[in-house]
Amino acid sequence: MEFDLLSGAALTGPALLGALALLALVDSTSFGTLLIPTWLLLAPGRLRPGRILIYLATVAGFYLAVGVVLLTIAATALPQLMELSATPAFLWAQLVVGAALLVGSFFIGGKRKRSGPGKFARWRERAVTDVADEAGSVLPLMGLAVAAAAVEVASMLPYLIGIGLLSTSEYDAGTRLLVLVGYCVVMVLPALVLLGLRLVAARAMERPLASFGAWMEKNAAETTGWIVGILGFLLARAAAVELGLFEGVL
């Protein structure tokens, strides 16, 4: 039986599916599932919607694969993993990793050259418009999708909560897989809606997308730095609390 993390009430059937849908919608607003696809839609020239679909399919496929692995681990080794995560060695390692992420976040971004289009803008144009070498543009696009998903997966709390709820549900393995597929589809649904709007109402979408793209071009690195820094702080703080490092201070 599953329990709502906030209230302790049991979640079964439609309630569980509704909770998973809400979690998936939260995940759909992340950098990899929404911001990068929006940025790709801003490429000049004739848009190649198939390239956007390849990116979104790669992101969804990556999360599906991670979800299957996590569900398998949860079904076989969850008690052992919970015990391991409470050991001093694991907590000290978590503290070191968190501190490294926090310090490293200050070096993400930095000064950018302002003359001409940035390298990301040039890469975007090659990735989503016509080029002579099809594979040469699709493979970097898929690489970006995997990289974005891999960076975010550890910090996507809604996805991890969803996996936890699903792993303790009464569904059999086949049903869990189908629900997980649905979760991943919902994750990329807003980006698919934006793609549809871009195709049917390109002129009306041009200005808001351009404004959003300009903001991303200017602030993406700094935003990533903040995300990495916050994640590092939370990891280090949680480990320090568990190790009792604050007991002498408070």
Side-chain angles (χ1 to χ4, degrees), residues 4 69 162:
D4 187 331
V69 171

Side-chain angles (χ1 to χ4, degrees), residues 28-120:
S28 72
T29 62
S30 74
F31 188 82
T33 55
L34 184 60
L35 297 186
I36 290 180
T38 302
W39 177 69
L40 293 175
L41 289 173
L42 295 166
R46 187 172 72 89
L47 179 67
R48 295 290 298 274
R51 305 290 174 85
I52 309 296
L53 293 176
I54 288 173
Y55 172 87
L56 294 175
T58 303
V59 170
F62 181 88
Y63 275 105
L64 177 61
V66 170
V68 170
V69 171
L70 292 177
L71 283 175
T72 302
I73 292 174
T76 58
L78 185 58
Q80 293 85 346
L81 290 175
M82 294 297 293
E83 183 178 349
L84 175 64
S85 67
T87 60
F90 184 94
L91 291 172
W92 278 109
Q94 178 180 324
L95 179 63
V96 171
V97 170
L101 289 174
L102 180 59
V103 173
S105 67
F106 290 97
F107 300 94
I108 296 177
K111 296 181 179 180
R112 297 192 304 119
K113 294 181 179 180
R114 299 296 179 179
S115 58
K119 61 180 180 180
F120 293 109

